[in-house]
Amino acid sequence: MEKILNVAVVGLGRAGWQIHIPRIMAHKGFKLSGVVDPLDERRKEARLHLGVAAFESLEKLFEQQNPDVVVIVSPTHFHKEQSLLAFRHGADVLCDKPMAVTLDEAREMVEAMHARSRKMMIFQPHRAHVETVALRALLREDLLGPVFMIKRRWSRYRVRVDWQAFARYGGGELNNSGAHFVDQLLYLSASPVKKIHCLRRRVLSRGDAEDFAKIIMETENGMILDVEVNFATAIAPPAMQVFGERGTMVLDEEHGLWRARYYDKGGADAIRLQEGLAAENRSYMDDQQLPWKEKNYPLSAFSSIDFYDKCYEHFALNQPAFIPPGESLEVMRILDVCKKRFGLE
Ligand SMILES: NC(=O)c1ccc[n+]([C@@H]2O[C@H](COP(=O)([O-])OP(=O)(O)OC[C@H]3O[C@@H](n4cnc5c(N)ncnc54)[C@H](O)[C@@H]3O)[C@@H](O)[C@H]2O)c1
């Protein structure tokens, strides 16, 4: 690669250390130039294992370095200020989700990005996952006829005790996990949202933020997008289901495939409306003969998208953003409506 971008990672927690740094180190277009964490032992660990300069704050890093890209993986309530700081120092930003604590903060980030003529992408990796790539391809084949609903479930049994359990740090599962799946379903539906409904509960969490959230969005192209994040699930339902007029698809995570049951166009044409007020044969149509087909689509036939390739294309090669900031603002708008109109019970 001709151009190698220097990258600084801010936050050496689970996501910074386990998700971002390995990807940066493995990518030929990026060089990890520095890291930031207020914890001394994490900075020592980074110096020892990665051989990079480590700083206690992003301000201190900028005193000595001018990275091309700053990857922000600190607790969510720092995302806005650290992004603004990066833009002021002429760096572009890859910020982990959720973009910020509030919609107003997110808007400020986009305004600052434009004002400083910088670039920013929000790390929403579910768009790049193979099940999303496969589903987009299968939806283009129109197997199921018009799709009227997509359900996405994130089901765990986890008593949250860290900062993500508290609303003041931008925690809560609406922000934390909801941001992933609202983004994923908006991407799949490719249609503006016209109505939003939400339910939030704190079930097991030791903090004050929700660990159950149900978000239902109605899109202008007639879809219902149903996201459920439930950290009090001991037996998990399917992670994803797609409902069309001529069939259903279910994501089978155990076997790594999309399972489809559907019939071809015209398959229900012989079904006639009945006259009168007595159901024929006292039947409720359970015996309707439809030409059902069943087919499995292994995920191994598709490839996931390398998110850092997309970052390189955007930050180094000036190609359009894989996730334009406007789309991330829309995720924040939806989460904001959920929080403001639908209280935590
Ligand atoms: N995209 C994903 O799949 C994904 C997964 C997990 C977390 N995240 C996001 O990444 C961010 C971090 O989450 P995490 O799970 O890694 O948290 P974590 O609790 O594991 O780690 C947070 C780290 O940030 C450090 N830190 C605290 N204050 C800081 C500051 N002012 N500047 C820099 N670093 C600071 C902490 O010392 C710690 O090392 C959150 O916004 C979270 O929503 C994204």
Side-chain angles (χ1 to χ4, degrees):
M1 289 198 179
E2 285 174 19
K3 196 171 180 182
I4 295 179
L5 299 182
N6 285 317
V7 183
V9 171
V10 184
L12 300 176
R14 190 183 85 73
W17 192 258
Q18 293 176 1
I19 299 176
H20 290 274
I21 288 178
R23 284 169 171 76
I24 293 164
M25 305 282 278
H27 199 288
K28 290 192 180 78
F30 296 107
K31 180 176 183 299
L32 183 67
S33 60
V35 296
V36 173
D37 202 288
L39 291 182
D40 190 36
E41 72 266 19
R42 295 199 172 181
R43 294 199 299 276
K44 280 188 185 136
E45 194 183 13
R47 288 184 197 111
L48 184 70
H49 293 290
L50 309 173
V52 287
F55 303 88
E56 64 189 72
S57 69
L58 186 54
E59 285 83 352
K60 292 248 189 281
L61 179 137
F62 278 122
E63 285 171 14
Q64 292 188 34
Q65 297 196 349
N66 278 311
D68 300 298
V69 180
V70 174
V71 177
I72 298 176
V73 218
S74 52
T76 305
H77 61 303
F78 295 118
H79 289 187
K80 184 198 86 174
E81 282 309 328
Q82 290 174 338
S83 299
L84 266 50
L85 185 66
F87 295 143
R88 282 202 295 280
H89 284 271
D92 293 329
V93 167
L94 173 65
C95 180
D96 213 318
K97 54 48 54 184
M99 185 172 179
V101 179
T102 64
L103 175 63
D104 287 344
E105 286 184 358
R107 285 187 176 135
E108 239 186 283
M109 289 160 72
V110 175
E111 279 163 21
M113 176 197 80
H114 288 305
R116 300 272 173 183
S117 304
R118 299 300 343 150
K119 295 181 205 146
M120 171 171 60
M121 260 212 294
I122 306 306
F123 185 67
Q124 299 276 184
H126 284 266
R127 284 195 188 204
H129 286 186
V130 68
E131 64 270 17
T132 311
V133 174
L135 181 55
R136 269 165 63 88
L138 295 172
L139 290 176
R140 279 195 293 272
E141 282 185 29
D142 193 28
L143 284 184
L144 309 181
V147 168
F148 66 92
M149 180 158 68
I150 308 180
K151 290 189 180 206
R152 183 66 166 100
R153 303 272 171 281
W154 187 248
S155 311
R156 300 284 182 274
Y157 193 96
R158 199 176 282 164
V159 184
R160 203 89 209 206
V161 292
D162 60 338
W163 61 268
Q164 286 279 21
F166 294 93
R168 63 183 174 280
Y169 303 128
E173 290 310 323
L174 190 63
N175 263 359
N176 185 34
S177 308
H180 276 304
F181 306 113
V182 168
D183 181 77
Q184 186 186 30
L185 295 200
L186 292 185
Y187 179 56
L188 285 164
S189 75
S191 174
V193 166
K194 60 176 189 184
K195 272 194 198 163
I196 301 164
H197 317 263
C198 178
L199 281 169
R200 299 194 282 145
R201 296 276 189 282
R202 192 193 62 79
V203 184
L204 300 172
S205 168
R206 298 288 157 83
D208 62 359
E210 72 283 327
D211 52 2
F212 171 92
K214 185 156 185 85
I215 309 154
I216 296 184
M217 298 161 277
E218 294 178 68
T219 65
E220 283 179 10
N221 65 358
M223 282 193 209
I224 298 164
L225 307 177
D226 175 344
V227 172
E228 188 177 299
V229 175
N230 185 349
F231 275 49
T233 312
I235 299 176
M240 233 173 155
Q241 294 158 296
V242 182
F243 297 86
E245 288 177 13
R246 289 188 278 107
T248 304
M249 286 203 298
V250 177
L251 178 63
D252 180 339
E253 289 185 298
E254 192 187 342
H255 300 100
L257 47 90
W258 277 104
R259 193 182 294 290
R261 185 165 190 260
Y262 65 100
Y263 58 82
D264 291 331
K265 216 172 184 170
D269 285 359
I271 295 175
R272 295 276 166 260
L273 196 61
Q274 295 177 3
E275 303 279 343
L277 291 176
E280 266 174 31
N281 306 321
R282 294 194 178 91
S283 159
Y284 300 138
M285 320 297 151
D286 291 340
D287 52 357
Q288 276 176 347
Q289 298 296 313
L290 290 166
W292 290 110
K293 293 181 174 178
E294 291 189 7
K295 200 165 168 190
N296 293 338
Y297 294 89
L299 299 182
S300 56
F302 301 87
S303 301
S304 59
I305 294 168
D306 184 320
F307 204 99
Y308 268 89
D309 279 350
K310 293 290 167 196
C311 290
Y312 188 81
E313 288 166 13
H314 185 49
F315 294 129
L317 307 179
N318 284 322
Q319 290 182 15
F322 176 49
I323 306 185
E327 294 184 16
S328 299
L329 276 184
E330 179 60 1
V331 173
M332 290 301 297
R333 182 188 75 83
I334 289 165
L335 299 180
D336 190 70
V337 169
C338 290
K339 279 184 254 175
K340 287 190 176 145
R341 280 208 227 133
F342 302 92
L344 175 61
E345 289 169 37

